[in-house]
Structure formats: structure tokens, C-alpha cells
Amino acid sequence: MRDVSPATPSYREAYATLSRIATELESGEADLDRVLPLLEEARVAYAACRERLEAVRTVLAGDWADGDDPDTEDEEDEDDG
């Protein structure tokens, strides 16, 4: 189970936030006074996405270091037959 504080968005929520902000900024309709708050919101969302991706990379790197690389397991299975 994932330990997430209420203020920490899920990866999906953070990604959706980044997409929404990008769309708003790309439209050219964002008022200059709105840009700074949007950029701060994007910074928080980006940090959440980066944190989740790093967690996945760490798990995958640990699994592969233990010899659990799924690509090599398939090759080993084929050699057995």
C-alpha cells in the first residue's frame, strides 16, 4: 500500500494537472497574473510525477539486480526447451 499524504497527488492527477496547465499556457489566453500561480502548480505536479517515476525505476532496478529481468527470463525459458 502506498503512503501518500492528502496533499500529494497521484501520478495520474499530477499528469492531468500538467496537461491542463500546458493547454492553458499554449492557448495564449492565460492572463499574466495567472502565469506565476500556474507555474508553481506545474512545479508541484512535475515533482509528484518525477517522484513516482523514480520510485518505479528504483523498484525495477532492484528487481533486475536480483536477476528478475523479465527479458532474460524469457530467453532462459526458450533455451530450456
Side-chain angles (χ1 to χ4, degrees):
M1 183 175 198
R2 197 174 101 181
D3 180 28
V4 177
S5 69
T8 303
S10 70
Y11 179 85
R12 184 171 289 185
E13 291 166 336
Y15 187 85
T17 297
L18 289 172
S19 295
R20 177 184 50 78
I21 291 169
T23 299
E24 186 172 342
L25 291 174
E26 288 173 348
S27 75
E29 298 298 317
D31 182 66
L32 186 57
D33 293 329
R34 175 98 172 105
V35 171
L36 188 57
L38 281 174
L39 292 177
E40 179 58 25
E41 187 180 1
R43 185 192 64 76
V44 171
Y46 175 79
C49 287
R50 186 181 63 222
E51 180 181 313
R52 297 302 302 148
L53 289 170
E54 285 303 316
V56 170
R57 284 187 187 119
T58 299
V59 169
L60 290 176
D63 285 348
W64 289 345
D66 293 337
D68 293 338
D69 184 350
D71 291 334
T72 58
E73 286 180 13
D74 290 342
E75 292 170 8
E76 290 171 4
D77 291 344
E78 291 171 6
D79 292 340
D80 290 341

